[in-house]
Amino acid sequence: MSGERLIYLPLGGAGEIGMNAYVYGYGKPGKERLMLVDMGVAFPDMDTSPGVDLILPDLGWLVENLNRLDGILITHAHEDHIGALGHLWPLLKKPVYARKFTATIGRLKFEEAGLPLDAIHTIEARPAAVEIGPFTVQFLPVAHSIPESSALIIDTPAGRIIHSGDFKRDPTPVVGEGWDDALMEAVAAEAPVKALMCDSTNVFSLHPGRSEASLAEPLTEMIKGAGGMVVATTFASNVARLKTLAEAARAADRSICVLGRAMKRMISAAQETKVLTGFTRIVSPEEALEIPRRNLMLLVTGSQGERRAASAALSRGKYLGFEMKQGDTFLFSSKTIPGNEKGVLKIVNAYSEMGVDVVDDSNGKYHVSGHANRPDLEHVHRTFLPDMLVPMHGEHRHLREHVRIAHEAGIAGIIATNGMMVDLTGEVPKVVEHIEAGRVYLDGTAQVGALDGVVRDRIRLALNGLAMVTVILDEQNEPLGDAWVELMGMSQTGLGDRALNETMETELTEFMSRASGKILSDDDKLDEALKRIVRQVAMEEIGKKPEVRVVISRLSAE
Amino acid sequence: MSGERLIYLPLGGAGEIGMNAYVYGYGKPGKERLMLVDMGVAFPDMDTSPGVDLILPDLGWLVENLNRLDGILITHAHEDHIGALGHLWPLLKKPVYARKFTATIGRLKFEEAGLPLDAIHTIEARPAAVEIGPFTVQFLPVAHSIPESSALIIDTPAGRIIHSGDFKRDPTPVVGEGWDDALMEAVAAEAPVKALMCDSTNVFSLHPGRSEASLAEPLTEMIKGAGGMVVATTFASNVARLKTLAEAARAADRSICVLGRAMKRMISAAQETKVLTGFTRIVSPEEALEIPRRNLMLLVTGSQGERRAASAALSRGKYLGFEMKQGDTFLFSSKTIPGNEKGVLKIVNAYSEMGVDVVDDSNGKYHVSGHANRPDLEHVHRTFLPDMLVPMHGEHRHLREHVRIAHEAGIAGIIATNGMMVDLTGEVPKVVEHIEAGRVYLDGTAQVGALDGVVRDRIRLALNGLAMVTVILDEQNEPLGDAWVELMGMSQTGLGDRALNETMETELTEFMSRASGKILSDDDKLDEALKRIVRQVAMEEIGKKPEVRVVISRLSAE
């Protein structure tokens, strides 16, 4: 191990979907020069991260090794690849490289965060290349559900790595470059591929993926057949879908109005960078309100049921002057990401109550995925014939299945999840170290470690409710007044409809009146005793134990 | 309206899946004699009902009209039809009627709740009938995913109602009576059907349902092909599936061990009532641990990812001496109910990490639904040719679609959701009144109204965290000591890593020292002012506003 080595270290995205952050290094062990690919976020949920705004990868290890880090690359502008840029870049302060559209989105984030725009460098697609420490990197256009998604060709002294990024094998993605088999074969012919680091999201989808272009006809037909207003939602960043939907609407003689900040931002970034051209004129909400319903289509955000997005807002009633009515159509040109089902169904049922016809993708006609399905993954394996396959971007089950497929094809593979440092130098990948990798919660403007207990406390409060106890003692450890209990998130009444806090106060005051000086004078002992009483009373009266906080005030003569 | 009328009033299950509770009445308006069909529960989730144990229908209206209620019928023993019996029967105290297996499950609930077992009456299937006030009711066997599920034939002075209960059109359900087209036609020929109240759960499933019997072959094949231990989960009450799985295991030379209280209870109730016969011998966990892995199959609870059930426990490591290993197989012979995806995937990924092969129903071979799909629903409509169709057991979107189908077939239909009282007397159904229908949360042993604010407070605590402020004043409204702040579920530090509670205490103490007597002497004003300061500091320091509780203690000389 005295020689140099090529390492791979996922800090996010390996063992989960979301929060992509992958480190590559080359050099002597422990002295490798490093680069980071992607800085994504994951999204919180009520079950595991209530109240949290965003989930960020813990870049602690990179910060400790900051003097070895030479740059940051962003493969594409989806939030799970770029979302942490504005929040975590200040920890790293290294140059950021991306293609034009992605860089534009990155600069919008930098602008909001007050960061220096010139830290983001626009890189052209292959054959342009950028040197980052010992690495020479080319951006290789692939199709995905956002413009300018790129794989990376990473040439290292130990051989060539292909980092797939998120991709699908779609030759006609409507916007941006399609997947080009000939180009990929040319790349494969240039140099042997040591390792293919590969998107795993759709490894369980057994049929070949369909092209974005296949949606135009069914969408046009559906929109032509609709009677009232049509409202369509999809992922805000799916610029190709927005174009397909807009053209379908035009063919049905409908004007387009866009509701939702994220969607407007994506469209204008795509137009500004010229990846989107010939997009139909967008009318303003004010204009739209003057257009007959059957000549109007709204494109709106909120395909995942997000409470604050336009889809949900319209399902609750009037929004920006628009109101859905009997005979209107609402189209989900999207799939529901696992975990979002209830939010989406809430909207569907609200529209049902309004008499709105909801059309979703259950027949498979109005949406295609942005990720490569199993047969397409296998095709890509065959194209690049790597020495080894390292699956990324997937839960453990995806990574495991992806490795299984590689093994079947005679390709070495390894399941490397967040924090596992893999040495790619030899014939087969080898785990050489385990790094502490984790999650950081963006909570308001604060960053809170996932293991700091803050969110654990919130979950406990949500499950158990809270009893707050206040007692006051004088210098002689004599109670001043009675104990005081406030309840939050708990039944206010216990057995026989008595006020629960009063029952607690009676018991606590009674206890204080006969407690020994040894207990009354010792904050810890007193706290413990009072908590025990509160829990006991709660258990008897309402059959569950709340969280308890005790505030002991000791007054001294002044 | 001076005559008598036939009414229908859903108090749960109409506009949601779960919590079924339907009232029928006959008599002069406002004086109808009433009966209740089913007393089900719904299940809580972290998003809308954190910490809640069960969701019960609000039977307030029935309690107000208790002197008009003559009885309670239970169609089958699924929790969403019988689960509230032990909790809400004490409010009604009327005789309960059910078939043998259902009655047995009901008595187990009564036993646990200390209620009189003789209130539950076992009724034989048709042609046996029970008189309940003006109603004559027969239990008509239908196939479902639990033994002895029954439709109800309700004969009333205004005509016959068929209340479908939960059903599928499965002639060979493995356990219990199959759906019998000839029997149904005979029933239809007896008397015209005024109204068909019909299960809507699967109205969006467009293919005809498959029979439980079709699972035997693929399951046997799969289990025969498995190498190590096989662990299979399904809904605990799906006795037919348990039988199919057990027989498949025997064919593969495997002994069966059952883990999970609910499943054992269902099996023994089914054996006791003789609806399940010839079930293979179940070995105890102790015996099972002595059996070679490849000769063993565990049947376990927790198909929905429930944290405390056996499936989840095994995914976390050793459980009752059992430990899953590389080469074992875990089978979900079930579908994931929307909202449970994340819990189920958590288990799947944990097994993936152990090297366990997970087999689920994604290929459609190892599970069939217990509900009638659209073509089967249409068949049933044609069989009974009712004057009107009233869809039940479904979210609004299901009810609406079901009515749409009825209309297409020339049958009058109405969307009646919880609380809508429908007059069925005339030619077409007519909403005559809106009753306050809602939900009650079972929280520990307490029952809390869904609108009481208890759960709302918990959600707020979970989203925002809590700051607890304590201040003490003397008789002259002079602050005694400094303000004290405790934080829960909040970042402990603000800008520049300063302790957030100390920053708040400084601001609060400073405010108190210069506040006017007018504020200091007025609890409401002081409370408001202190809250405002805490929120302001939080907003500046961590960018979000917590919940705030202020305890103001005023000491008087003693």
Side-chain angles (χ1 to χ4, degrees), chain B residues 22 45 53 91 235 240 255-256 287-288 298 329 339 358 364 444 482:
Chain B
Y22 307 96
D45 60 39
D53 293 284
L91 296 178
F235 301 94
S255 298
I256 295 291
E287 287 175 88
L298 309 182
T329 298
V358 175
D482 293 344

Short mmCIF file of all heavy atoms in Angstrom, two decimals, chain B residues 22 45 53 91 235 240 255-256 287-288 298 329 339 358 364 444 482:
data_model
loop_
_atom_site.label_atom_id
_atom_site.label_comp_id
_atom_site.label_asym_id
_atom_site.label_seq_id
_atom_site.Cartn_x
_atom_site.Cartn_y
_atom_site.Cartn_z
N TYR B 22 -72.39 2.36 9.66
CA TYR B 22 -73.52 2.80 8.84
C TYR B 22 -74.82 2.62 9.62
O TYR B 22 -75.07 1.55 10.17
CB TYR B 22 -73.58 1.99 7.55
CG TYR B 22 -72.27 1.99 6.79
CD1 TYR B 22 -71.35 0.94 6.94
CD2 TYR B 22 -71.93 3.05 5.94
CE1 TYR B 22 -70.14 0.94 6.25
CE2 TYR B 22 -70.73 3.06 5.25
CZ TYR B 22 -69.83 2.00 5.41
OH TYR B 22 -68.63 2.01 4.73
N ASP B 45 -51.73 8.04 11.71
CA ASP B 45 -50.41 8.18 11.12
C ASP B 45 -49.74 9.41 11.70
O ASP B 45 -50.38 10.25 12.33
CB ASP B 45 -50.48 8.24 9.59
CG ASP B 45 -51.30 9.42 9.11
OD1 ASP B 45 -51.21 10.51 9.70
OD2 ASP B 45 -52.04 9.25 8.14
N ASP B 53 -53.63 6.05 19.29
CA ASP B 53 -53.63 4.59 19.19
C ASP B 53 -54.61 4.08 18.14
O ASP B 53 -54.28 3.20 17.36
CB ASP B 53 -53.96 3.98 20.57
CG ASP B 53 -52.83 4.26 21.55
OD1 ASP B 53 -51.81 3.58 21.46
OD2 ASP B 53 -52.96 5.18 22.38
N LEU B 91 -71.04 3.04 25.06
CA LEU B 91 -71.89 4.22 24.80
C LEU B 91 -73.28 3.82 24.34
O LEU B 91 -74.23 4.59 24.45
CB LEU B 91 -71.27 5.09 23.69
CG LEU B 91 -69.93 5.74 23.95
CD1 LEU B 91 -69.49 6.51 22.70
CD2 LEU B 91 -70.02 6.68 25.15
N PHE B 235 -51.70 -10.34 5.97
CA PHE B 235 -52.60 -9.77 6.97
C PHE B 235 -52.99 -10.87 7.96
O PHE B 235 -53.33 -11.98 7.55
CB PHE B 235 -53.85 -9.19 6.30
CG PHE B 235 -53.52 -8.13 5.30
CD1 PHE B 235 -53.36 -8.43 3.96
CD2 PHE B 235 -53.32 -6.81 5.70
CE1 PHE B 235 -53.03 -7.45 3.03
CE2 PHE B 235 -52.99 -5.82 4.78
CZ PHE B 235 -52.85 -6.14 3.44
N ALA B 240 -57.41 -17.71 5.01
CA ALA B 240 -57.26 -18.50 3.79
C ALA B 240 -55.82 -18.46 3.31
O ALA B 240 -55.24 -19.49 2.93
CB ALA B 240 -58.20 -17.97 2.70
N SER B 255 -41.81 -27.24 8.17
CA SER B 255 -42.71 -27.05 9.30
C SER B 255 -43.06 -25.57 9.42
O SER B 255 -42.32 -24.71 8.94
CB SER B 255 -42.04 -27.52 10.60
OG SER B 255 -41.77 -28.89 10.52
N ILE B 256 -44.18 -25.34 10.09
CA ILE B 256 -44.71 -23.99 10.22
C ILE B 256 -44.62 -23.52 11.66
O ILE B 256 -45.03 -24.24 12.57
CB ILE B 256 -46.21 -23.99 9.85
CG1 ILE B 256 -46.39 -24.34 8.39
CG2 ILE B 256 -46.86 -22.65 10.15
CD1 ILE B 256 -45.89 -23.28 7.47
N GLU B 287 -39.44 -25.46 19.44
CA GLU B 287 -39.26 -26.57 18.50
C GLU B 287 -38.64 -26.07 17.19
O GLU B 287 -37.74 -26.71 16.63
CB GLU B 287 -40.63 -27.19 18.14
CG GLU B 287 -41.28 -28.04 19.23
CD GLU B 287 -42.67 -28.48 18.77
OE1 GLU B 287 -42.78 -29.55 18.12
OE2 GLU B 287 -43.64 -27.73 19.06
N ALA B 288 -39.15 -24.96 16.72
CA ALA B 288 -38.73 -24.45 15.41
C ALA B 288 -37.22 -24.20 15.38
O ALA B 288 -36.55 -24.45 14.38
CB ALA B 288 -39.48 -23.17 15.07
N LEU B 298 -41.58 -19.57 8.75
CA LEU B 298 -42.27 -18.76 9.76
C LEU B 298 -43.39 -17.99 9.10
O LEU B 298 -43.22 -17.43 8.02
CB LEU B 298 -41.30 -17.77 10.41
CG LEU B 298 -39.98 -18.30 10.97
CD1 LEU B 298 -39.19 -17.15 11.63
CD2 LEU B 298 -40.23 -19.40 11.98
N THR B 329 -35.27 -16.32 2.72
CA THR B 329 -36.23 -15.62 1.88
C THR B 329 -37.32 -15.00 2.75
O THR B 329 -37.84 -15.65 3.65
CB THR B 329 -36.89 -16.59 0.88
OG1 THR B 329 -35.87 -17.14 0.03
CG2 THR B 329 -37.91 -15.88 0.01
N GLY B 339 -49.60 4.83 2.21
CA GLY B 339 -49.21 5.46 3.47
C GLY B 339 -48.22 4.61 4.25
O GLY B 339 -47.49 5.11 5.09
N VAL B 358 -35.85 -10.76 -0.68
CA VAL B 358 -37.22 -10.34 -0.41
C VAL B 358 -38.06 -10.54 -1.65
O VAL B 358 -37.69 -10.11 -2.74
CB VAL B 358 -37.27 -8.87 0.04
CG1 VAL B 358 -38.71 -8.42 0.21
CG2 VAL B 358 -36.50 -8.70 1.34
N GLY B 364 -47.47 -9.74 -9.11
CA GLY B 364 -48.88 -10.11 -9.07
C GLY B 364 -49.15 -11.59 -8.85
O GLY B 364 -50.28 -12.05 -9.04
N GLY B 444 -54.01 6.43 24.39
CA GLY B 444 -53.88 5.71 25.64
C GLY B 444 -55.23 5.10 25.93
O GLY B 444 -55.81 4.39 25.10
N ASP B 482 -34.13 36.04 37.37
CA ASP B 482 -34.16 36.21 35.93
C ASP B 482 -35.20 35.29 35.27
O ASP B 482 -35.63 34.32 35.87
CB ASP B 482 -32.78 35.89 35.33
CG ASP B 482 -31.74 36.92 35.75
OD1 ASP B 482 -32.16 38.00 36.22
OD2 ASP B 482 -30.55 36.63 35.62
#
